[in-house]
Amino acid sequence: MREPSAVFVQSDLSDRLTTAVGSGSTWSAAGAEVTWNDGAVEVTATTISRVALRWTERLPADALILGDAWERSYGDLQWRHIQPERLLPWYFLVHDPQTGSTTGAGVDVQPSAFCSWTVDGDGFTLWLDLRNGGGPAHLRGRTLTAATVRLFKDSGTPWQTLNAGVATMSTRLPARPEPAPVVGANNWYYAYGENFDEKAVLQDATTIVELADGHPVKPFSVVDDGWYPGGVCSGGPWDRGIPGVFDDMAGTAAAIKAIGARPGIWFRPLLVREPGRWASTGPHDKPGRALDPSYPEVLDGVRADLERFRSWGFELVKHDFSTYDVFGAFGPAMGSRLTRGGWQLQDTSRTTAEIILAFYREIRSAAEDVVVIGCNTVGHLAAGLVDVQRTGDDTSGRDWERTRKMGVNTLAFRLPQHNRFFAVDADCVPCTPQTPWELNERFLDLVARSGTALFLSIDPAARTERSDRALRNGIHLALSGGAVAESKAIEPIDWLVNTTPNAWRAGDEFLHYDWSRPWGADPTAN
């Protein structure tokens, strides 16, 4: 990719962007130097907040633009016409409807900055957020490779270009071993963390093993939120289950294994139930309880949690809420500012991206051979450090509209990340009395065909002969690697014009899914 046309620097939040003066491949301003080294952007500074790199290039007036999301998507991924202020995290694509060509650019995974793009009719800008929390990072003269930029060349169709672009951004990751399909039970969307016990957990394990029907790949059975004292989403310590309900977590894991499933467990690593040491000073609805991952002691505690889960016998760990617990906001509310200003993480010598990367690496190292699922994790930073990534916000066992909006959208627009960054998880397929099975069944069919992770929330009260038949077929297909195992890669056909595509192709087979109720999509639903 060619050098930028101009570079701008903001050293402190009180400063405005300053135009940097170029000399060869280096630009200087506001006490900082920015060097372009064959796509790598190196920043040397004492204090730094943001760097902007601008490329001037006339774009078609009717171009369609696509970007990604900071963490999970929220049913909001879509192609749009040019919107100059639209924030496009990590990468962007430009499709020219007149010529049919698609190009774009992105940054390698695991950068040291939060990277986003804006695109307008005269060019595009890469924004490197190098802050620490809500204030500048104090690099103290350190040279930081903030990001490595990749150009996306036209590869035939928009879908092929996005697949090729995602592949270029992950070339520096270690080669992923051929991953075993990740399929299992998770009770969240019928229990929602309340009023379940070990007996219910073992019933879930029995159900998924029964429906797997002897497949040689064993399914998982995940103990989701609600197994520990304190109430739903209340935080650690993660050293015991609810007294009288989950008295022996190692025994629960062993019982799941005895049934024939692989045990998994959920936790929220950066929240504790009582305020204490090593707390973050950032914005949060539970002040004093969110942990600051720049403290070594916090990472030591996270490592101890992972080692404990392993000693209990769990083979999968799902870690959740860490982006919210760092920034005090979920993806859509983070926007371009990421978090409220005026606070910082304890170690101000590193960028927030560097600190989050160190946190993910600690989990990956401590987990060893345990399967790691990231939920509410920053996908572009977590790539290569989680086995499975929840790429979209929650589906629902109470409201089909959430499953349609969140599940279908994230599968359609982030599927190219599958088995390049991590295994994609579009979230659970519910089977509950409150949601229409005929629609959940279609979502099950699509997820199973895609070869992505498949988790199911199966309320025993909702099982029927029809649902069991579809569940068996979907689980067997997913455990076998999906349709992609038969060289039938899944592709959304109408994704340029539809946020929840109805038309799909699997190899030479064309599929149509109707996601709507008789009245269409309900605009009042969550």
Side-chain angles (χ1 to χ4, degrees):
M1 189 166 177
R2 60 185 168 86
E3 292 183 355
S5 310
V7 174
F8 307 88
V9 173
Q10 182 181 19
S11 61
D12 198 330
L13 293 182
S14 61
D15 301 329
R16 299 193 176 197
L17 286 167
T18 301
T19 303
V21 177
S23 176
S25 297
T26 299
W27 293 260
S28 301
E33 285 191 350
V34 180
T35 300
W36 177 268
N37 185 7
D38 194 26
V41 182
E42 298 171 351
V43 178
T44 304
T46 300
T47 300
I48 192 72
S49 291
R50 292 191 302 165
V51 171
L53 293 85
R54 174 70 174 178
W55 284 265
T56 301
E57 181 176 320
R58 191 69 185 165
L59 301 182
D62 57 352
L64 295 175
I65 314 296
L66 176 69
D68 198 39
W70 285 134
E71 42 111 2
R72 296 170 299 181
S73 56
Y74 290 76
D76 49 1
L77 296 176
Q78 60 179 290
W79 292 90
R80 292 188 208 164
H81 290 293
I82 292 174
Q83 183 179 354
E85 72 279 6
R86 180 186 175 194
L87 188 76
L88 304 163
W90 310 120
Y91 58 75
F92 75 93
L93 274 73
V94 176
H95 176 65
D96 183 347
Q98 301 300 317
T99 65
S101 67
T102 307
T103 56
V107 297
D108 278 357
V109 296
Q110 298 186 18
S112 298
F114 273 76
C115 310
S116 60
W117 303 82
T118 51
V119 177
D120 55 64
D122 296 317
F124 48 91
T125 304
L126 170 60
W127 299 89
L128 301 177
D129 192 316
L130 296 159
R131 289 176 299 159
N132 172 284
H138 300 287
L139 300 184
R140 303 186 180 100
R142 176 164 64 100
T143 297
L144 175 70
T145 300
T148 299
V149 181
R150 301 292 180 184
L151 179 67
F152 301 168
K153 298 180 180 179
D154 181 70
S155 298
T157 67
W159 184 253
Q160 291 166 335
T161 301
L162 179 55
N163 274 269
V166 168
T168 67
M169 290 187 289
S170 55
T171 54
R172 295 188 180 182
L173 293 178
R176 280 179 62 85
E178 189 63 31
V182 178
V183 179
N186 182 311
N187 72 354
W188 179 255
Y189 293 111
Y190 76 84
Y192 284 95
E194 298 178 341
N195 302 319
F196 72 96
D197 55 15
E198 184 184 62
K199 181 180 178 181
V201 165
L202 299 185
Q203 180 58 56
D204 286 337
T206 299
T207 297
I208 197 70
V209 168
E210 173 195 337
L211 294 170
D213 202 20
H215 196 285
V217 178
K218 287 186 177 182
F220 290 92
S221 188
V222 179
V223 184
D224 208 286
D225 191 4
W227 59 269
Y228 54 92
V232 175
C233 299
S234 59
W238 307 97
D239 55 356
R240 64 181 62 86
I242 299 173
V245 181
F246 290 102
D247 288 317
D248 180 5
M249 296 305 294
T252 300
I256 292 172
K257 288 183 186 179
I259 289 167
R262 302 178 65 187
I265 195 166
W266 177 100
F267 85 128
R268 183 174 180 172
L270 293 183
L271 190 74
V272 289
R273 293 192 288 276
E274 299 293 336
R277 300 171 66 189
W278 312 309
S280 169
T281 60
H284 207 281
D285 61 343
K286 299 175 179 64
R289 292 170 51 192
L291 298 175
D292 178 341
S294 73
Y295 281 104
E297 294 86 351
V298 170
L299 297 190
D300 290 343
V302 172
R303 173 170 286 275
D305 290 333
L306 268 295
E307 291 172 348
R308 184 180 309 111
F309 298 149
R310 283 174 38 229
S311 72
W312 284 346
F314 286 95
E315 299 180 21
L316 177 150
V317 172
K318 176 180 178 182
H319 66 94
D320 201 353
F321 278 97
S322 59
T323 302
Y324 181 84
D325 290 336
V326 169
F327 293 105
F330 293 111
M334 289 165 63
S336 60
R337 297 183 183 275
L338 300 181
T339 187
R340 189 190 68 201
W343 71 276
Q344 295 197 272
L345 294 155
Q346 178 269 338
D347 180 2
T348 61
S349 70
R350 292 181 289 163
T351 68
T352 307
E354 289 182 288
I355 290 167
I356 291 175
L357 269 172
F359 166 65
Y360 292 163
R361 286 169 178 153
E362 191 72 24
I363 291 177
R364 175 71 276 169
S365 172
E368 295 187 358
D369 59 351
V370 168
V371 174
V372 174
I373 299 181
C375 184
N376 186 228
T377 40
V378 179
H380 216 76
L381 298 178
L385 299 172
V386 297
D387 299 293
V388 181
Q389 170 83 352
R390 262 284 304 281
T391 55
D393 192 24
D394 292 8
T395 56
S396 177
R398 297 170 178 165
D399 179 3
W400 160 253
E401 279 300 314
R402 281 195 65 91
T403 302
R404 179 196 65 80
K405 178 181 177 181
M406 306 298 182
V408 177
N409 179 263
T410 190
L411 189 65
F413 286 84
R414 296 183 113 174
L415 185 55
Q417 298 174 10
H418 180 59
N419 284 348
R420 292 190 174 103
F421 292 177
F422 31 60
V424 161
D425 174 14
D427 203 15
C428 295
V429 175
C431 178
T432 65
Q434 297 93 336
T435 53
W437 176 247
E438 66 273 14
L439 295 174
N440 286 322
E441 184 177 1
R442 294 167 197 167
F443 186 48
L444 166 64
D445 182 73
L446 179 59
V447 175
R449 286 174 181 266
S450 73
T452 60
L454 171 64
F455 287 96
L456 303 114
S457 287
I458 304 171
D459 187 332
R463 292 182 65 181
T464 65
E465 184 177 338
R466 172 183 171 175
S467 66
D468 276 8
R469 182 169 57 251
L471 288 165
R472 279 194 179 90
N473 291 340
I475 290 168
H476 191 277
L477 178 58
L479 287 169
S480 300
V484 294
E486 303 170 3
S487 299
K488 294 183 178 178
I490 301 294
E491 174 185 350
I493 303 303
D494 55 341
W495 72 315
L496 287 176
V497 296
N498 191 349
T499 58
T500 53
N502 300 105
W504 294 73
R505 178 166 45 222
D508 296 329
E509 182 180 4
F510 286 87
L511 308 166
H512 180 84
Y513 297 97
D514 185 352
W515 304 119
S516 295
R517 308 293 287 273
W519 48 84
D522 186 347
T524 65
N526 291 326

